[in-house]
Amino acid sequence: MRSSTPKVLHGLGGRSMLGHALATARALEPERVAVVVRHERERVAEHARVLDPQVLLVDQDDIPGTGRAVQVAMTALDAAAQAGAASAGEGPGVVGSAADVGMTGPVVVIAGDVPLLDAGTLGELLAAHHADGNAVTVLTTEVEDPTGYGRILREAGSGDVLGIVEEKDADDEQRRITEINSSIYVFDAGVLRGALGRLDQDNAQGEVYLTDVLAIARTDGGHVRALRTDDPFAVEGVNDRVQLAVLRAELNRRILEDWMRAGVTVVDPATTWVDVDVDLAPDVTLLPGTQLHGATVVASGATIGPDTTLTDVEVGPGATVVRTHGSLAVIGADASVGPFAYLRPGTVLGEHGKIGTFVETKNATIGTGSKVPHLSYVGDATIGEHTNIGAASVTVNYDGVNKHRTTIGSYARTGADNMFVAPVTIGDGAYTGAGSVIRRDVPAGALAVSAAPQRSIEGWVARARAGTPAAEAAARASGRREESELSPQARAERERAATAASGIPVTPPPVLPDQPAPLPDPAPRSTGTDPKDLAR
């Protein structure tokens, strides 16, 4: 794989290759499951424990080969059988009698790098083994190019398996055989135990071959037969990333086909990816570019996509999720999310709720019918029912050390560009003004406003940013403003001055005298000294 990651931990369809192998093995309901680890044993063993805490981990030593892997596995399985018998008080009643107890019945061996092997095929192999009373039953298939695989050698007439020859040990005639070994077997436990003790490393690769058990079992008189599957992908192994990509695409194709036949609409299967553990209801619609990962569940009537990635998200009936990335979130029935929303873990959106464009949520519960429509961050918050959060709002939840919670009640209306500095509570039916920084609790039904009076400092750009494009634009705007504020007479004088400056003759205004014309003297007035006047 040319990778720091062990091969069996590479993934497809939401599981590692080892995860696929364990799921298939567990589907048979076996008494015990053993995983043999060697390369990067600590990492593989830890992953196996996470997937299946009951698994029996077996450490292969430095002796190479599949035969050696099964040898150490049988030793561990026999020891587990002995321990089980001893704890159950089985045996002839003599202390230590359980030491002779060994595993009995069929032993199924599968490879950790054959991820498309399904439980149905493996179950058919086990059933054929029981029905025919075989010592060994091997799963095979036909391929056009068998290069790299062991070839099945069959007996003419009966079709029984004579043995398996590995590629490097095969002659030219054997290399032309197109029936290949899948490395998937069912052995009788007694036959396997006896044959394993007779294996050696006498081959081109110096390995202990498990395939040699088939020839030994046949020599001992046991029936060795093959079950051939018509599905080469079911037994195809992975040895590089090219093969992994091929099987990943094939697995996804099968998953989508199964869902479409179950009533799910997949508009563009080529761009839609669904993991094996995703659960979809009938009448779900998946639009192009949709990726559903993990344990995502989508209810009937919901529409996902386009260009949406959900991991471990629960989507309610009738909901729409458009161009959204989400994980560990719950979206209620008939809710709307996106486009370009980011739902982080802990997001719960109620029925008929809305998380809109360029909204990020985290550890937030948004109640029934409530909306966060635009350009907002809602983290560590609880929002009641039928509340509307204004655009560009932020719950300021982090003080540099601890996270704090914001609570906004039902039927509240918060203004655009609000900062809610947590911990803070906004009561039911409360309003907040645009541009407010809410630092204290707001009672139910109250209006909270924190805006300061606006100041406009005239001429600041011309003084502080002289020579910049902004200053030039301001100067032009100032000129236009002054023009509009002049009286008609002033505008006429400005136009006359502009015309004179351009050289066009101007009719001069009429000449007015420096002093006004003198007025005639008025009629003489009585001084009141005439006796007659006095008498009158």
Side-chain angles (χ1 to χ4, degrees), residues 151-154 160-165 211 214-215 218 224:
R151 309 306 202 277
I152 300 296
L153 307 179
R154 287 185 179 265
D160 285 1
V161 176
L162 296 173
I164 300 173
V165 59
T211 51
L214 280 68
R218 182 176 173 82
V224 179

Side-chain angles (χ1 to χ4, degrees), residues 43 137 144 167 199 234 282 305 317 358 394 409 419 451-452 466-467 527:
R43 293 177 63 185
T137 310
E144 292 183 4
E167 170 90 14
L199 299 180
F358 298 112
V394 174
M419 301 289 113
T527 62

Side-chain angles (χ1 to χ4, degrees), residues 119-484:
T121 300
L122 195 59
E124 290 176 6
L125 180 69
L126 183 60
H129 179 83
H130 283 300
D132 294 343
N134 295 336
V136 183
T137 310
V138 56
L139 185 63
T140 70
T141 193
E142 293 269 0
V143 295
E144 292 183 4
D145 181 8
T147 303
Y149 291 98
R151 309 306 202 277
I152 300 296
L153 307 179
R154 287 185 179 265
E155 182 180 54
S158 69
D160 285 1
V161 176
L162 296 173
I164 300 173
V165 59
E166 298 296 333
E167 170 90 14
K168 293 184 178 180
D169 300 308
D171 57 32
D172 291 341
E173 182 178 354
Q174 291 169 335
R175 287 193 180 97
R176 286 192 288 271
I177 297 172
T178 58
E179 185 180 13
I180 62 167
N181 174 30
S182 68
S183 299
I184 300 163
Y185 314 88
V186 181
F187 298 96
D188 175 81
V191 171
L192 179 60
R193 187 181 297 107
L196 288 173
R198 295 147 66 182
L199 299 180
D200 57 37
Q201 296 173 257
D202 185 17
N203 52 66
Q205 299 190 79
E207 297 182 359
V208 180
Y209 286 161
L210 180 61
T211 51
D212 290 346
V213 170
L214 280 68
I216 294 172
R218 182 176 173 82
T219 300
D220 291 347
H223 293 293
V224 179
R225 297 189 174 97
L227 176 69
R228 184 161 53 198
T229 176
D230 294 329
D231 182 7
F233 282 116
V235 296
E236 184 169 337
V238 174
N239 289 309
D240 57 37
R241 297 183 195 243
V242 175
Q243 291 174 317
L244 180 60
V246 170
L247 292 188
R248 182 181 288 122
E250 175 60 20
L251 176 60
N252 189 66
R253 185 195 67 78
R254 296 182 181 201
I255 291 171
L256 294 181
E257 182 176 306
D258 288 344
W259 283 122
M260 286 188 284
R261 296 190 185 282
V264 173
T265 296
V266 181
V267 174
D268 184 14
T271 62
T272 303
W273 293 82
V274 175
D275 284 354
V276 292
D277 291 325
V278 169
D279 187 14
L280 306 175
D283 292 321
V284 164
T285 298
L286 305 183
L287 298 178
T290 293
Q291 300 180 58
L292 303 180
H293 299 305
T296 294
V297 177
V298 184
S300 180
T303 298
I304 312 297
D307 306 324
T308 294
T309 300
L310 303 180
T311 303
D312 300 321
V313 173
E314 180 182 336
V315 182
T320 60
V321 186
V322 181
R323 289 191 169 89
T324 292
H325 189 104
S327 60
L328 291 169
V330 177
I331 300 169
D334 299 307
S336 171
V337 179
F340 309 112
Y342 181 23
L343 311 186
R344 293 168 58 189
T347 296
V348 178
L349 177 63
E351 295 182 5
H352 301 282
K354 179 179 179 63
I355 294 175
T357 307
F358 298 112
V359 174
E360 178 180 347
T361 59
K362 186 267 295 181
N363 192 24
T365 299
I366 302 169
T368 299
S370 290
K371 300 177 181 179
V372 187
H374 331 277
L375 303 163
S376 298
Y377 170 70
V378 178
D380 297 295
T382 299
I383 299 174
E385 298 180 353
H386 304 288
T387 285
N388 189 84
I389 304 299
S393 293
V394 174
T395 57
V396 186
N397 57 333
Y398 186 47
D399 63 8
V401 178
N402 299 308
K403 298 288 182 71
H404 302 280
R405 197 158 190 87
T406 296
T407 301
I408 301 175
S410 297
Y411 295 93
R413 298 291 183 269
T414 68
D417 197 24
N418 278 192
M419 301 289 113
F420 301 98
V421 183
V424 68
T425 298
I426 290 82
D428 292 348
Y431 278 60
T432 59
S436 296
V437 178
I438 307 300
R439 300 179 182 274
R440 296 190 297 272
D441 290 353
V442 179
L447 169 65
V449 180
S450 69
Q454 178 177 316
R455 294 177 59 203
S456 296
I457 303 173
E458 293 284 345
W460 181 88
V461 172
R463 296 191 299 274
R465 298 291 185 268
T468 64
E472 296 172 0
R476 290 191 297 270
S478 296
R480 291 192 297 270
R481 183 185 65 186
E482 291 173 2
E483 178 75 19
S484 66

